[in-house]
Amino acid sequence: VQLVESGGGLVQPGGSLRLSCAASGFTFKDYAMSWIRQRPGKELEWVACLNPYGEAQTYAPAVKGRFVIDRDNAKNTVYLQLNSLKTEDTAMYYCAKDWAATVDPRRLVRGQGTQVTVS
C-alpha cells in the first residue's frame, strides 16, 4: 500500500486549498478512504471519510460545512477541499485507507502527509 499526499502549503485565514492523495498497491475502488490530521501538540484526529463509491461521507464537527472529501476511482485518487480555513486547521494532513471515523486513527495505513499552515 502506498499513499502519497500533495497540495499542502501556507494560506491565509479564510483561504482554500485542495489536497490530493494518490493511492497504489491495493484495489482502491473497494475501500473507504479518509483524511486525518495532526495539529501541533495534538493527537491524530479524523477529518473526513468517504465510502468506496463516493456516495456517503462524514465529517468531523470542526470541519463540517467547510471541507469536502471526494474521490476519482479511475485515477485512484482521493481529494480534500479545504475552504474557509482557520488558524486551528494548521496541521499535517494524511490520507488513510479505510473509514477513520470509527477506529483509532493511529491504526490506519496512511501516507507521509502534507503540511497545511494557516497564518
Side-chain angles (χ1 to χ4, degrees):
V1 174
Q2 187 172 20
L3 301 168
V4 180
E5 301 93 338
S6 61
L10 174 64
V11 62
Q12 293 183 340
S16 297
L17 282 174
R18 184 168 175 80
L19 309 183
S20 299
C21 171
S24 60
F26 64 102
T27 306
F28 180 77
K29 65 180 179 64
D30 290 345
Y31 286 87
M33 294 296 294
S34 301
W35 286 92
I36 60 178
R37 69 183 182 185
Q38 188 162 27
R39 294 183 286 167
K42 304 288 188 180
E43 296 288 329
L44 275 172
E45 59 183 355
W46 72 276
V47 174
C49 309
L50 185 64
N51 76 338
Y53 295 101
E55 301 161 330
Q57 61 274 142
T58 190
Y59 298 93
V63 308
K64 191 172 184 179
R66 300 188 297 120
F67 292 8
V68 179
I69 185 171
D70 66 340
R71 64 193 293 163
D72 186 336
N73 285 346
K75 295 182 179 179
N76 286 2
T77 302
V78 61
Y79 305 96
L80 186 67
Q81 178 70 39
L82 291 69
N83 300 318
S84 303
L85 281 161
K86 305 176 181 180
T87 55
E88 52 263 43
D89 294 318
T90 293
M92 184 70 79
Y93 284 76
Y94 303 90
C95 72
K97 178 174 168 284
D98 289 317
W99 191 268
T102 53
V103 300
D104 182 344
R106 293 172 296 180
R107 299 178 61 185
L108 296 173
V109 174
R110 64 182 188 266
Q112 85 290 345
T114 187
Q115 178 68 40
V116 172
T117 302
V118 185
S119 177

